[in-house]
Amino acid sequence: MSSVRVIEVEHFEAWRAAARELLREGVAAGDVDFFSPSVQKSLFGGEDGDGGESDGGGGGDALQQRSVKGQGAVAQRRDTPTVPPNFIKYARRVACHRDEQRWNLLYRLLWRLTTAEPNLLHVAFDDDVRRFDLMAKSVGRDAHKAQAFVRFRRIETEDGEQFVAWHRPDHRILRLVGPFFSRRFKSMRWTILTPDESASWDGAALTYGPGAPASAAPAVDDLDEMWRSYYRSIFNPARIKLAMMRREMPVRYWAALPETQIIPEILAEAPARVAAMLKYGAAGTRAVSAAEFLPEARDLDSLARAAAGCRGCELCERATQTVFGRGPSAARLVLVGEQPGDQEDQQGEPFVGSAGEVLNHALAAAGLARDEVYLTNAVKHFHWEPRGKQRLHKKPPSRAISACRSWLEAEMAAVAPRVLVCLGVTAAQAVLGRDTRALKTRGVPFASEWCERTIITWHPAASLRARIDGERERIARELAEHLQVAAQA
Amino acid sequence: MDVRNKLEILADAAKYDASCASSGSKQARAGSLLGSTEGMGICHSYTPDGRCVSLLKILLTNYCIYDCKYCINRVSSDVPRARFTVDEVVRLTIEFYRRNYIEGLFLSSGIIQNPDYTMEQLIAVARTLREVHRFGGYIHLKTIPKAAERLTIEAGRWADRISINIELPTAADLVELAPEKRREDVDEAMGDIREEIDQRRDDRKAGLKPPTFAPAGQSTQMIVGATDSPDAAILGTATDLYQRHRLRRVYYSAFSPIPFADDRLPPASPPLVREHRLYQADWLLRFYGFKLDEIVTPAAPNLALDVDPKLAWALAHRDQFPMDVNRAPRELLLRIPGIGVRSVNRIVDSRRHRAIRLADLRKLRLPWRRVQHFVAAIDHLPRAKDLESEWLRARLGGNATGLRQLDLFEAARSAHSGEV
Ligand code: SF4
């Protein structure tokens, strides 16, 4: 007991020098007790006899064994004992740990390694080795966190710009990470402050100084805002995993991280952002569809009533009303256009504007009465954009087309027509999908997924838009001809 | 539009890309004044969705002349658009880096004008960072298929990693959903990169000092669940890419429905657990000595969702267990469910010096509930009755709620750790 040597060391190098000397003298692990200057040890006062070995019976046992059969080993030892390089590497880390017993643990391992157990580090299950591993790991993690969470703030000083950071590590890792920062930020002049000590780089040399409180570092940086914008934009509000975030970025570091200030804010706005994403069918949510608005009864009247309340996509928001199909359920022909226009939107009926007039003429020319066909559109709400005071027709987004498909399917099922006529190529694309080869040939019946006899013809509005002489008449004539083909198909 | 608005749009547009790692580059760039890459990438922050922030991950622009159905930036999409200038990206990277916010830059882009023009813009950013600012931090450039070979090669000169997205598991999938992209073009570009990497390696072996070329290698990303290609096709393509082009990583990204989607796309994401299982299978193929046909077969082309692929294999080969940790060779230890490469190394290392007991295994913090049925140690032997029993799968597999809770994050985690 009285022969226990008490040695004060602060940094790894001091311990290393002392340990080397002790080994040379053959001082066993149980006969020395290291301590760090900041730590008041009761053992030092000599009030407690069994001091140095209070931790870990396992280690003690191993030492006992050694002192019985290890005498020869002590005698054979060379003056500078060799230890596995891994030991030095990890011992350097363990030396930064705040555990008071770290120096004793290191010396005990060193002793065991250089006397009877040169392969000790390979025995992962040994209690000393395990503790050594765990301590090295926790310091390693802490050093890694410092590399990650140090945030420099730029200040202008008399001799140019300077970067200052304040960071609170768990262990005394500054000397472990100092070289990393000087390699990485070679061209900057920087200082990292921690409560225990500080490190500075002037572009050429790394020096260490006393610790400092958080208030010693600048509180803001002119780039904070930009960084926060970035942080906000990459966050996915549909997935919140706070526990995960806190585990990887513990709250004790937050004070020094500019981005953490907006965490409460972006969490608060997350539900609204998710709602917006839901509405537009974004990441991780189901696609929009009118399907859930379909009524149980599938007759045309029930369908029309239910469609009046459809909110299957966002088009309903800016349109006046749903323009559902019109016509008898016994119709042999279903005529489908792309979407209602301005007039239709206001009156709530398909094909009532000037295009409707062209259609009426063509129907009559083909020998068909308007009230014996079923008229509808691929999309049931008017999609428009303002142009001055006018509401200009805009092609419906494909999302709306697919959302609205459920209505058309229900109408086709209710009417079960003999022939389906698509009015215009855009209508045909909306109904049949983009890749239909048949899109090129107007007026020739073909089988589609919708109907055994499907025909594509002109949209009546095409005749109104025609600028070339004679075009107008030709389109109207062809429209009528195609309708006649359809009537006879 | 000011830089901050652009940043908001172009960071948001880039967040769909899964390949965000910043690791794998060790060698320091000669003459750099700011920035370093030292092997392991660092996560500088975490967002409330639990994801790591390591790189400034942005698009140069989200304007695009292509119309890939699964992509939010396709020409027919309605998203707000923006475009950075080369200088703006350079400045953001440098200033973020100097504050230690990031490890470097991940730069990708929509295709503007044509592939070559776009590629030149991306290269200009990387070249300016390296040459003007002497930037030594991490740069990942996403290259554009069909860009000229000389441009791909120049990109590799400035970047740590370059990648080309394979996008979809099969050539037919591409034809359907990405009409402007062809598998042959992607393949050719990957081949060019590989040749270049090989060339440098040979030069180094011959004692020459060739200029750097993509020291962190090349990677790719595959979207999972946008088409109905099974896992066998996905893993088959990945295996082929690892072998033929020696990719460092294949990232699997669960398809997520995007605003204004095309109706050829499925309305919902595949279960996230599928992505997770793919990463697990990927690790088994690369580091655990598994062969593709041990993981998926024509009869069962999809990975099980309730159990991980290693456990699935073990359950199908129960006669090979329990595995004696004191005697079984390393490659068989790697087949024990719940014991990862690191633990296997420790076991192999330790058992040379001392016989392994149950208490030792416990110290390795293995998922014992699973492991116990498959290992034997000096004082442990699982009950044969348990190992053979019908309910073992049900007991060890995840239940439905457990699976639902599995999240992108876990997938990302298994993408990094690879412990299976
Ligand atoms: S366009 Fe069709 S799906 Fe969209 S709200 Fe109107 S009726 Fe419903």
Side-chain angles (χ1 to χ4, degrees):
Chain A
M1 270 190 272
S2 55
S3 68
V4 169
R5 285 206 227 173
V6 178
I7 299 175
E8 173 180 336
V9 286
E10 188 171 5
H11 294 298
F12 178 74
E13 295 307 332
W15 173 85
R16 192 182 191 177
R20 217 179 252 150
E21 187 54 35
L22 289 164
L23 272 190
R24 219 187 330 260
E25 293 174 29
V27 179
D31 297 335
V32 59
D33 188 24
F34 290 95
F35 76 101
S36 291
S38 54
V39 179
Q40 303 296 315
K41 285 212 63 182
S42 61
L43 173 73
F44 195 53
E47 58 184 31
D48 187 354
D50 67 350
E53 295 189 352
S54 58
D55 65 308
D61 285 351
L63 280 178
Q64 285 296 307
Q65 275 171 21
R66 182 218 53 82
S67 55
V68 174
K69 55 173 200 175
Q71 294 297 339
V74 175
Q76 288 165 12
R77 222 168 35 226
R78 285 167 296 149
D79 270 357
T80 342
T82 53
V83 290
N86 257 356
F87 176 72
I88 299 298
K89 179 174 162 202
Y90 292 109
R92 218 180 267 283
R93 289 191 196 165
V94 171
C96 300
H97 203 284
R98 283 198 201 271
D99 188 324
E100 291 171 27
Q101 287 301 324
R102 64 193 182 281
W103 304 120
N104 286 335
L105 172 71
L106 288 179
Y107 190 67
R108 197 159 58 239
L109 276 169
L110 183 63
W111 179 255
R112 293 177 64 193
L113 279 167
T114 53
T115 53
E117 303 168 85
N119 291 316
L120 180 60
L121 290 189
H122 295 284
V123 185
F125 312 119
D126 180 272
D127 285 321
D128 278 343
V129 173
R130 212 170 103 77
R131 220 168 126 213
F132 176 74
D133 282 349
L134 289 177
M135 282 168 77
K137 216 187 213 171
S138 100
V139 169
R141 205 178 308 124
D142 194 41
H144 191 78
K145 292 294 181 210
Q147 294 173 345
F149 299 146
V150 156
R151 294 281 186 272
F152 286 118
R153 298 193 155 129
R154 202 181 70 100
I155 47 173
E156 292 287 350
T157 65
E158 279 167 14
D159 23 66
E161 65 174 5
Q162 181 128 29
F163 290 82
V164 183
W166 187 83
H167 178 75
R168 185 205 296 279
D170 291 342
H171 302 292
R172 303 195 53 172
I173 44 75
L174 198 55
R175 280 165 197 260
L176 214 53
V177 297
F180 164 83
F181 284 101
S182 56
R183 284 193 300 274
R184 179 160 280 201
F185 302 104
K186 208 182 299 175
S187 58
M188 287 160 38
R189 292 188 310 133
W190 54 258
T191 299
I192 299 172
L193 305 167
T194 76
D196 305 300
E197 52 185 340
S198 60
S200 294
W201 171 259
D202 60 4
L206 190 56
T207 48
Y208 295 94
S215 57
V220 290
D221 182 281
D222 47 9
L223 227 73
D224 286 350
E225 271 309 308
M226 193 71 96
W227 175 238
R228 284 194 276 261
S229 292
Y230 178 66
Y231 185 76
R232 185 195 304 264
S233 311
I234 53 173
F235 157 56
N236 178 354
R239 285 180 217 296
I240 295 181
K241 304 232 86 190
L242 291 180
M244 199 53 74
M245 171 181 69
R246 289 202 193 99
R247 184 157 82 219
E248 302 294 338
M249 187 168 69
V251 178
R252 61 181 183 279
Y253 298 119
W254 286 21
L257 304 174
E259 66 272 24
T260 55
Q261 285 177 22
I262 59 163
I263 289 175
E265 195 179 312
I266 61 181
L267 285 175
E269 64 195 29
R273 277 174 71 186
V274 172
M277 277 164 63
L278 270 170
K279 206 164 101 192
Y280 295 105
T285 63
R286 71 189 164 77
V288 287
S289 164
E292 62 188 78
F293 297 91
L294 288 185
E296 229 153 82
R298 294 297 171 83
D299 57 284
L300 289 175
D301 285 346
S302 308
L303 287 173
R305 262 198 309 277
C310 180
R311 306 190 67 76
C313 72
E314 72 279 11
L315 294 199
C316 57
E317 274 161 37
R318 295 174 63 226
T320 313
Q321 56 187 310
T322 305
V323 180
F324 205 68
R326 277 292 165 94
S329 61
R332 288 180 75 246
L333 258 58
V334 166
L335 272 55
V336 47
E338 187 189 25
Q339 64 164 348
D342 184 74
Q343 280 299 310
E344 288 79 7
D345 174 72
Q346 287 174 36
Q347 298 180 33
E349 222 180 297
F351 294 98
V352 289
S354 43
E357 256 168 56
V358 177
L359 181 65
N360 289 342
H361 280 123
L363 282 169
L368 289 160
R370 180 168 162 131
D371 58 11
E372 66 178 293
V373 299
Y374 187 84
L375 277 169
T376 191
N377 284 298
V379 172
K380 309 288 192 259
H381 272 114
F382 180 34
H383 188 39
W384 55 275
E385 65 186 352
R387 172 78 51 85
K389 279 203 177 104
Q390 287 199 336
R391 301 193 301 169
L392 218 67
H393 164 274
K394 212 174 160 202
K395 193 171 151 28
S398 52
R399 235 165 55 83
I401 294 172
S402 78
C404 212
R405 174 158 305 208
S406 309
W407 291 122
L408 190 60
E409 276 166 6
E411 289 173 290
M412 288 294 288
V415 179
R418 188 170 163 78
V419 186
L420 171 67
V421 181
C422 298
L423 297 169
V425 173
T426 39
Q429 278 177 341
V431 174
L432 302 167
R434 220 157 297 167
D435 290 336
T436 327
R437 227 149 292 147
L439 288 186
K440 292 198 183 84
T441 15
R442 290 196 178 80
V444 182
F446 60 95
S448 73
E449 51 167 317
W450 292 88
C451 187
E452 271 299 298
R453 295 173 193 77
T454 305
I455 289 185
I456 300 169
T457 179
W458 294 97
H459 194 280
S463 135
L464 297 174
R465 278 196 303 268
R467 291 272 170 270
I468 307 168
D469 273 354
E471 268 300 84
R472 203 177 249 263
E473 292 69 25
R474 185 177 68 85
I475 291 174
R477 193 180 62 242
E478 283 187 18
L479 176 59
E481 282 168 16
H482 296 161
L483 286 175
Q484 203 165 2
V485 172
Q488 286 154 12
Chain B
M1 194 184 287
D2 69 6
V3 176
R4 205 169 133 192
N5 291 132
K6 292 185 185 179
L7 181 62
E8 278 160 10
I9 294 175
L10 294 169
D12 190 87
K15 75 179 169 202
Y16 296 90
D17 204 302
S19 43
C20 61
S22 54
S23 52
S25 224
K26 278 196 202 88
Q27 79 204 84
R29 264 176 205 268
S32 62
L33 290 176
L34 173 72
S36 59
T37 52
E38 312 201 353
M40 279 290 286
I42 298 172
C43 289
H44 286 271
S45 193
Y46 287 82
T47 44
D49 51 11
R51 284 192 298 182
C52 149
V53 184
S54 168
L55 301 170
L56 170 61
K57 181 156 80 165
I58 47 174
L59 297 190
L60 188 62
T61 175
N62 63 342
Y63 287 101
C64 189
I65 54 171
Y66 283 6
D67 198 22
C68 305
K69 306 297 174 238
Y70 48 80
C71 177
I72 182 158
N73 300 320
R74 68 186 194 282
V75 66
S76 59
S77 161
D78 254 3
V79 290
R81 308 273 176 171
R83 178 177 174 180
F84 275 129
T85 65
V86 168
D87 264 357
E88 285 166 345
V89 177
V90 168
R91 226 172 311 130
L92 268 179
T93 309
I94 294 290
E95 291 308 321
F96 277 7
Y97 199 91
R98 297 211 298 170
R99 273 123 185 117
N100 202 36
Y101 296 160
I102 52 170
E103 287 293 283
L105 172 69
F106 176 114
L107 188 63
S108 171
S109 182
I111 299 179
I112 32 176
Q113 293 187 21
N114 56 54
D116 281 358
Y117 174 79
T118 311
M119 197 68 204
E120 274 159 11
Q121 296 290 302
L122 294 176
I123 290 171
V125 170
R127 189 183 43 228
T128 311
L129 279 168
R130 297 289 192 219
E131 289 208 316
V132 178
H133 298 271
R134 294 303 175 104
F135 179 67
Y138 193 85
I139 299 181
H140 179 159
L141 288 186
K142 185 129 277 181
T143 57
I144 314 286
K146 273 203 282 205
E149 186 182 344
R150 67 177 168 86
L151 294 174
T152 312
I153 288 169
E154 193 184 350
R157 193 167 150 208
W158 310 119
D160 290 277
R161 166 165 288 180
I162 46 187
S163 62
I164 304 175
N165 283 354
I166 190 105
E167 310 287 17
L168 297 166
T170 70
D173 291 343
L174 266 189
V175 170
E176 185 181 356
L177 294 183
E180 291 96 343
K181 291 190 183 150
R182 297 188 321 148
R183 174 57 67 80
E184 299 88 271
D185 299 328
V186 174
D187 220 58
E188 199 183 311
M190 283 179 174
D192 291 345
I193 296 168
R194 182 207 157 145
E195 264 170 39
E196 207 62 27
I197 292 175
D198 286 358
Q199 181 66 46
R200 308 295 154 118
R201 193 199 45 200
D202 294 348
D203 286 357
R204 261 193 308 279
K205 272 196 196 136
L208 301 171
K209 278 215 180 81
T212 359
F213 183 88
Q218 60 171 328
S219 66
T220 193
Q221 172 173 281
M222 210 185 311
I223 298 166
V224 174
T227 59
D228 45 21
S229 292
D231 295 341
I234 294 167
L235 291 169
T237 297
T239 310
D240 176 59
L241 294 176
Y242 284 129
Q243 283 167 358
R244 251 177 345 111
H245 299 315
R246 268 208 308 285
L247 263 67
R248 286 289 177 89
R249 287 302 305 274
V250 174
Y251 290 91
Y252 306 93
S253 168
F255 162 75
S256 96
I258 47 164
F260 314 109
D262 186 272
D263 55 11
R264 259 164 289 187
L265 289 172
S269 304
L272 282 166
V273 64
R274 182 174 177 202
E275 187 182 298
H276 182 60
R277 295 283 181 249
L278 282 166
Y279 276 116
Q280 290 175 320
D282 184 277
W283 284 85
L284 291 182
L285 290 168
R286 287 188 299 147
F287 302 115
Y288 287 72
F290 279 77
K291 297 267 171 308
L292 185 59
D293 58 9
E294 290 181 299
I295 296 178
V296 278
T297 59
N302 284 302
L303 298 168
L305 294 183
D306 61 335
V307 292
D308 70 66
K310 197 173 170 191
L311 182 54
W313 183 86
L315 289 169
H317 297 83
R318 300 189 196 199
D319 53 317
Q320 308 227 13
F321 295 96
M323 214 70 91
D324 185 345
V325 289
N326 282 301
R327 232 168 282 145
R330 186 170 185 279
E331 59 278 17
L332 286 184
L333 291 179
L334 284 171
R335 302 237 156 185
I336 303 172
I339 304 193
V341 174
R342 277 220 236 145
S343 299
V344 165
N345 290 343
R346 294 195 139 189
I347 289 170
V348 173
D349 216 8
S350 301
R351 73 183 182 186
R352 277 206 295 264
H353 309 285
R354 166 172 146 182
I356 296 172
R357 322 183 70 85
L358 177 61
D360 297 332
L361 289 178
R362 294 241 188 218
K363 284 182 195 165
L364 287 180
R365 299 197 200 171
L366 303 168
W368 188 244
R369 204 175 70 87
R370 197 169 354 144
V371 175
Q372 58 173 335
H373 300 289
F374 301 97
V375 297
I378 289 228
D379 51 354
H380 171 77
L381 197 65
R383 291 191 303 178
K385 188 168 122 267
D386 288 352
L387 186 52
E388 281 153 22
S389 84
E390 282 297 321
W391 49 258
L392 191 57
R393 184 184 185 114
R395 207 168 105 176
L396 298 181
N399 55 24
T401 31
L403 291 180
R404 232 176 290 123
Q405 276 160 10
L406 241 179
D407 204 284
L408 251 190
F409 182 77
E410 265 87 352
R413 188 154 244 234
S414 55
H416 286 136
S417 76
E419 293 288 312
V420 182

